[in-house]
């Protein structure tokens, strides 16, 4: 387990000393030590500094930084520096510059500005990284590597277009197969020569309108997305292998962006090549906690439950939203523990010292423009730093145990949102979040899984909006349910194959037998319109009628039983919620998008019927997470609310790790506070409000 290399939960963040006079560096070290900081991510945007021209490399400044970190008891997360190319390179080799979807060749500027299929980029990046690896192998400060930065920009240049054709030849071998997969008889698109194929940009297949993702040919665009993700993975691997060729046991990662749900890159496909997954997360003050919880669980799921790094968060403010309020007192600490609770083995910031110029000069930092330690933010950072030092390695590699899995699939996400479907309001992440929230609200832990994951370890598998059914997946689900598993899916599922070609013969296509239903029509509702879901049979706490909307499907039963029906419109009385017994298990189908209160009760009852219960009964606003290590069980209780909250943890004594106190029975949680309860696994933890 690679993250075992961490001596404790690492604490620190991005550090850009090259932006400041050297005299400040010693003061930085003093302040880092004061704050309990032990890791600095350096060299992320220093390509221009390190390679001022074709032949010259200059790493002396970095030597000094690395040495200083070591002398002060700190580690380096060493950036490879390839996220912004030097200006001279762009002038000399314009192929490194990207082309936008509307065909504009960019000039030198900004960052994340290189084309992934530029021979110049690949050549010079690999060269640079080899030199770095040779120079810093064996350096005592070097803990891990940070390749590039927030990778993933899409490029539409000629090099990318040619590379796309090669990628397609590899995938389809013949144009006949490609024409079939892309359904090219539509709008007279038959391709007779590989050279006919162009990238699906705004100049070709892109559809203008409300949804910028929409395209005339979903098959082409899907393949382009896959190709782009693979192109960047190839660039990442070039750097990864350059490092490993010099330092075989190096720990290498890159920081995932978009709060972990970054659409352009299939992070499940990437994760095997990251020695530890690393996440940048930038919620706003009003972002619901379950939004972050989902993303942390997803990061944990990318490598089958392995811990991950919280690589970047702001200690205080952002600078890139329209309005950037400060994080309120205690919130940075609380949200840091939320990440730790869900598997993070580092708490890191962007950034350690605030820049004096350019775009990020007002982005929050541990050391503010004032330059000293007498600020609220610095004090809060120091308190957390001291706590993390006390926790030491105690929580490292503790694992979450879940009986419930939610399927997350990038191809499916892309496909759902590419075409002109029933409603542009139909968003994959919204549905994933809806179902996640139902478990979150009930304090029931879930794992995120991919299509390849073995299902038998779970009691319940949920696949919201399983629009795309990949080859063999329907059989896999069928087998799982036959053997006693419970499967749950929603409207707009089983519609298409991996090329986004519709499965003929009635929705939900390949899932029809498993679900025991046939869906005849899909009725999309405008956001202001609602239908209702009327319970026909009692199920747990569900009774009466609930709001629903977004999509209502006209369903016929083919063996399934209906638990609820629609309350109005021409399909009034037809099934809205069904269950099909299949082998020893059962498969549920929600033919509409129900309200949150319905979801909460439904999932509670469903889990109850499978013997899956809440970790702890806790009031709204309190989050509960559990991890296990050997015979120990850690229960994190986080009060995100503004009120004092009470919980009941039962009669067994638990140790609260942050205060060191022994606790049991009734506990009070001040607003914005956290407790980490340690107990014996077998003793369990049950309580009520
Ligand atoms: C991203 C980048 C950082 C910095 C922060 C600012 O996460 O990786 O370099 O720009 O955003 O929020
Ligand atoms: Zn390109």
């Amino acid at each position: 387990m690679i993250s075992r290399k961490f001596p404790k939960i690492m604490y620190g963040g991005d550090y850009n000393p090259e932006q400041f006079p050297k005299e400040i560096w010693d003061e930085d070290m003093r302040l880092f030590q004061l704050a309990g900081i032990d890791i600095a991510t350096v060299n992320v945007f220093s390509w221009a500094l390190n390679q001022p021209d074709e032949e010259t490399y200059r790493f002396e400044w970095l030597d000094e930084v690395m040495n200083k970190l070591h002398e002060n008891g700190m580690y380096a997360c060493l950036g490879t520096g390839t996220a912004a190319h030097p200006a001279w390179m762009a002038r000399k080799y314009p192929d490194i510059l990207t082309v936008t979807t509307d065909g504009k060749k960019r000039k030198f500027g900004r960052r994340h500005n290189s084309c992934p299929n530029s021979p110049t980029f690949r050549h010079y990046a690999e060269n640079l990284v080899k030199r770095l690896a040779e120079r810093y192998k064996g350096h005592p400060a070097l803990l891990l590597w940070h390749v590039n930065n927030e990778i993933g920009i899409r490029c539409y240049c000629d090099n990318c277009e040619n590379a796309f054709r090669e990628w397609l030849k590899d995938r389809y071998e013949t144009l006949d197969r490609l024409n079939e997969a892309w359904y090219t008889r539509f709008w007279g698109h038959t391709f007779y020569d590989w050279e006919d194929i162009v990238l699906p940009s705004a100049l070709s297949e892109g559809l203008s309108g409300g949804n910028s993702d929409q395209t005339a040919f979903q098959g082409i665009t899907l393949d382009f997305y896959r190709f782009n993700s693979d192109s960047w993975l190839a660039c990442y691997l070039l750097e990864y292998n350059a490092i490993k060729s010099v330092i075989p046991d190096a720990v290498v990662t890159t920081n995932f962006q978009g709060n972990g749900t970054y659409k352009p890159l299939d992070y499940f496909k990437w994760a095997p090549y990251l020695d530890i997954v690393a996440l940048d997360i930038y919620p706003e003050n009003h972002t619901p906690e379950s939004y972050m919880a989902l993303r942390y669980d997803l990061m944990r799921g990318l490598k089958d439950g392995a811990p991950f790094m919280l690589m970047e968060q702001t200690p205080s403010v952002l600078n890139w939203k329209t309005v950037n309020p400060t994080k309120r007192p205690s919130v940075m600490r609380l949200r840091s523990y939320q990440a730790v609770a869900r598997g993070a083995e580092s708490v890191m910031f962007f950034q350690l010292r605030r820049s004096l110029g350019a775009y990020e000069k007002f982005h929050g930092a541990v050391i503010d423009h004032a330059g000293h330690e007498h600020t609220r933010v610095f004090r809060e950072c120091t308190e957390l730093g001291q706590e993390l030092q006390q926790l030491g390695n105690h929580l490292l590699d503790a694992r979450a145990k879940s009986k419930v899995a939610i399927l997350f699939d990038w191809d499916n996400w892309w496909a759902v949102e590419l075409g002109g479907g029933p409603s542009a309001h139909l968003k994959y992440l919204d549905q994933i979040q809806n179902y996640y929230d139902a478990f979150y609200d009930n304090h029931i832990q879930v794992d995120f899984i991919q299509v390849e994951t073995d299902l038998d370890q779970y009691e319940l598998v949920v696949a919201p909006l399983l629009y795309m059914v990949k080859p063999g997946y329907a059989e896999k689900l069928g087998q799982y349910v036959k053997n006693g598993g419970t499967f749950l899916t929603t409207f707009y599922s089983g519609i298409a194959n991996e090329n986004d070609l519709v499965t003929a013969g009635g929705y939900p296509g390949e899932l029809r037998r498993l679900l025991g239903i046939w869906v005849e029509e899909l009725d999309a509702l405008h956001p202001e319109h609602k239908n209702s879901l009327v319970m026909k049979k009692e199920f747990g706490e569900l009774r009466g009628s609930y709001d629903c909307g977004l999509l209502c499907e006209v369903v016929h039963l083919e063996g399934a039983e209906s638990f609820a029906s629609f309350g109005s419109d021409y399909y009034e009385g037809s099934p809205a919620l069904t269950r099909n017994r299949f082998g020893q298990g059962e498969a549920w189908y929600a033919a509409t998008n129900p309200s949150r209160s319905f979801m909460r009760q439904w999932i509670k009852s469903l889990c109850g019927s499978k013997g899956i219960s809440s970790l702890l009964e806790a009031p709204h606003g309190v989050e509960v997470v559990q991890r296990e290590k050997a015979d120990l069980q850690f229960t994190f209780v986080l009060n995100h609310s503004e009120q004092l909250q009470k919980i009941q943890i039962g009669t067994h004594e638990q140790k609260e790790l942050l205060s060191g106190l022994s606790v049991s029975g009734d506990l009070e949680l001040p607003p914005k506070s956290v407790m980490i309860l340690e107990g014996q696994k077998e003793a369990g933890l049950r309580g009520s409000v």
Side-chain angles (χ1 to χ4, degrees):
M1 172 77 297
I2 221 87
S3 71
R4 305 305 300 159
K5 289 203 174 191
F6 291 178
K8 61 178 270 291
I9 297 172
M10 301 309 295
Y11 190 52
D14 277 48
Y15 176 46
N16 299 302
E18 69 278 15
Q19 295 177 14
F20 300 90
K22 275 193 191 162
E23 299 71 68
I24 288 183
W25 298 5
D26 284 327
E27 175 64 355
D28 285 338
M29 297 299 138
R30 181 186 76 82
L31 291 168
F32 294 162
Q33 281 181 337
L34 204 59
I37 283 171
D38 44 37
I39 188 164
T41 304
V42 294
N43 196 46
V44 177
F45 294 104
S46 314
W47 198 348
L49 207 57
N50 291 339
Q51 192 182 358
D53 60 43
E54 191 99 31
E55 285 89 30
T56 319
Y57 288 88
R58 283 199 208 126
F59 296 113
E60 291 74 15
W61 74 274
L62 189 55
D63 294 347
E64 232 176 292
V65 172
M66 293 288 283
N67 294 343
K68 219 171 256 301
L69 291 175
H70 176 61
E71 284 154 20
N72 287 279
M74 290 178 59
Y75 287 104
C77 170
L78 184 56
T80 59
T82 53
H85 51 243
W88 64 261
M89 208 177 278
R91 174 175 31 90
K92 213 163 161 188
Y93 305 106
D95 70 278
I96 203 167
L97 297 165
T98 57
V99 170
T100 60
T101 180
D102 49 0
K104 289 188 186 126
K105 176 86 175 161
R106 290 192 54 86
K107 295 193 175 188
F108 175 75
R110 299 207 303 230
R111 59 169 177 178
H112 305 148
N113 47 5
S114 306
C115 160
N117 288 296
S118 148
T120 304
F121 174 67
R122 290 193 178 196
H123 170 75
Y124 286 97
E126 189 181 22
N127 238 322
L128 175 74
V129 177
K130 254 202 191 119
R131 279 166 199 265
L132 278 168
E134 268 150 19
R135 193 163 186 107
Y136 296 107
K137 79 170 171 224
H139 195 288
L142 179 61
L143 187 67
L144 79 154
W145 290 81
H146 178 293
V147 169
N148 202 305
N149 188 71
E150 297 200 332
I151 299 171
I153 193 173
R154 288 189 184 129
C155 175
Y156 296 83
C157 76
D158 290 347
N159 280 328
C160 285
E161 196 154 80
N162 285 324
F164 184 46
R165 291 177 188 137
E166 294 309 310
W167 186 93
L168 292 169
K169 282 181 198 162
D170 224 46
R171 185 176 173 87
Y172 295 106
E173 287 167 5
T174 68
L175 279 170
D176 283 349
R177 278 203 210 133
L178 173 140
N179 279 314
E180 197 185 319
W182 285 358
Y183 206 67
T184 53
R185 295 205 178 182
F186 182 74
W187 287 354
H189 266 50
T190 306
F191 294 111
Y192 292 102
D193 193 312
W194 294 98
E195 297 295 308
D196 292 341
I197 297 166
V198 297
L199 293 174
S201 67
L203 299 178
S204 55
E205 305 300 352
L207 297 175
S208 53
N211 188 340
S212 63
D213 261 357
Q214 288 204 356
T215 166
F217 275 80
Q218 292 79 56
I220 304 181
T221 305
L222 258 179
D223 278 339
F224 173 60
Y225 285 6
R226 290 171 178 141
F227 157 77
N228 181 70
S229 181
D230 285 358
S231 293
W232 275 117
L233 185 54
C235 293
Y236 169 82
L237 283 173
L238 214 60
E239 297 193 26
Y240 177 94
N241 291 329
I243 298 165
K244 297 269 177 167
S245 69
V246 181
I247 315 170
D249 66 342
V251 178
V252 183
T253 189
T254 184
N255 50 341
F256 283 167
Q257 60 176 315
N259 299 325
T261 42
Y262 178 63
K263 201 170 178 186
L265 299 188
D266 180 347
Y267 283 158
F268 267 114
K269 216 168 165 195
W270 276 63
Y273 306 103
L274 271 66
D275 294 325
I276 183 166
V277 165
L279 171 69
D280 297 351
I281 195 155
Y282 289 101
E284 296 188 72
N285 287 353
H286 58 265
T287 305
E289 280 73 27
S290 69
Y291 174 96
M292 283 84 86
L294 183 157
R295 271 86 188 154
Y296 295 138
D297 286 354
L298 179 61
M299 293 303 103
R300 212 183 57 231
L302 292 180
K303 280 178 96 65
D304 272 334
F308 61 93
M309 292 178 77
L310 172 57
M311 183 65 94
E312 289 182 25
Q313 64 169 341
T314 179
S316 51
V317 288
L318 299 173
N319 68 310
W320 44 270
K321 300 274 180 189
T322 317
V323 178
N324 296 289
T326 57
K327 268 188 188 169
R328 281 12 215 178
S330 304
V331 171
M332 183 280 289
R333 171 178 180 264
L334 180 61
R335 289 190 170 182
S336 299
Y337 279 116
Q338 185 190 25
V340 170
R342 293 185 179 275
E345 296 203 335
S346 71
V347 173
M348 293 165 69
F349 301 112
F350 185 88
Q351 55 185 338
L352 296 186
R353 183 183 272 275
R354 207 170 206 178
S355 308
L356 297 179
Y359 185 61
E360 289 178 335
K361 60 184 175 298
F362 292 113
H363 194 288
V366 176
I367 307 170
D368 211 327
H369 288 151
H372 55 63
E373 63 266 48
H374 308 293
T375 63
R376 172 183 73 90
V377 171
F378 192 91
R379 272 194 300 276
E380 288 195 30
C381 290
T382 304
E383 279 160 24
L384 179 58
Q386 285 164 354
E387 283 180 351
L388 294 178
Q389 276 174 347
Q390 270 169 34
L391 284 170
N393 63 4
H394 203 59
L395 296 168
L396 294 191
D397 210 32
R399 300 294 176 117
K401 292 271 177 309
S402 316
K403 292 180 176 164
V404 180
I406 298 182
L407 178 71
F408 194 102
D409 186 43
W410 258 265
D411 292 283
N412 184 35
W413 177 9
W414 294 335
V416 164
E417 293 170 16
L418 279 177
S423 168
H425 298 292
L426 204 53
K427 297 287 184 198
Y428 185 61
L429 290 186
D430 288 353
Q431 292 307 316
I432 295 281
Q433 188 81 55
N434 280 352
Y435 279 82
Y436 182 85
D437 284 349
F439 293 97
Y440 179 92
D441 288 348
N442 282 299
H443 310 294
I444 292 170
Q445 247 160 215
V446 306
D447 284 348
F448 280 99
I449 58 166
Q450 55 183 325
V451 167
E452 284 75 25
T453 311
D454 176 25
L455 303 176
D456 293 335
Q457 51 187 316
Y458 297 106
E459 297 282 337
L460 171 60
V461 171
V462 183
L465 224 55
L466 186 54
Y467 169 87
M468 174 189 285
V469 178
K470 291 181 173 171
Y473 203 57
E475 290 75 44
K476 184 168 173 169
L477 287 170
Q479 206 51 49
Y480 164 71
V481 176
K482 247 187 207 151
N483 294 341
T486 301
F487 173 61
L488 188 167
T489 190
T490 69
F491 54 87
Y492 209 44
S493 287
I495 307 281
N497 71 5
E498 83 277 16
N499 296 318
D500 201 15
L501 294 177
V502 168
T503 304
Y507 317 131
E510 291 186 65
L511 304 175
R512 187 165 163 181
R513 240 170 56 77
L514 171 61
L515 293 162
I517 53 165
W518 169 48
V519 176
E520 186 184 345
E521 285 188 281
L522 282 67
D523 184 27
L525 273 57
H526 284 284
E528 64 277 17
H529 290 155
K530 292 271 172 271
N531 201 319
S532 62
L533 197 141
V534 184
M535 294 307 295
K536 292 177 62 181
K537 291 184 187 171
E538 281 187 14
F539 184 70
E541 293 171 12
L542 291 175
R543 49 185 56 81
S545 127
Y546 300 83
D547 270 359
C548 64
L550 187 64
L551 210 69
C552 297
E553 294 183 336
V554 181
V555 173
H556 302 276
L557 301 177
E558 292 181 337
E561 51 188 319
S562 171
F563 277 78
S565 52
F566 287 108
S568 61
D569 225 314
Y570 69 95
Y571 40 84
E572 179 183 337
S574 81
L577 180 74
T578 65
R579 178 180 70 184
N580 192 37
R581 296 204 189 270
F582 192 79
Q584 292 170 44
E586 54 190 48
W588 287 79
Y589 189 78
T592 185
N593 189 40
S595 65
R596 190 158 177 171
S597 75
F598 174 90
M599 293 289 295
R600 192 183 307 133
Q601 291 171 51
W602 177 33
I603 292 304
K604 184 178 181 184
S605 306
L606 186 56
C607 285
S609 72
K610 306 289 154 208
I612 308 166
S613 50
S614 303
L615 294 168
L616 184 74
E617 295 290 327
H620 184 67
V622 174
E623 177 175 348
V624 186
V625 189
Q626 209 163 68
R627 310 243 310 276
E628 295 177 5
K629 182 175 173 179
D631 55 350
L632 291 180
Q633 178 177 276
F634 305 103
T635 308
F636 293 74
V637 190
L638 303 116
N639 180 7
H640 295 291
S641 76
E642 304 283 352
Q643 290 83 39
L644 181 112
Q645 301 281 7
K646 293 180 180 170
I647 53 164
Q648 227 282 342
I649 63 161
T651 50
H652 289 288
E653 288 268 301
Q654 311 259 334
K655 184 176 172 197
E656 200 287 298
L657 294 180
L658 297 171
S659 63
L661 299 173
S662 281
V663 292
S664 64
D666 297 316
L667 301 184
E668 289 194 338
L669 289 158
K672 306 284 177 203
S673 70
V674 54
M675 283 186 183
I676 309 175
L677 306 170
E678 179 193 293
Q680 293 296 316
K681 211 156 53 180
E682 33 323 332
L685 180 99
R686 288 276 162 267
S688 56
V689 190

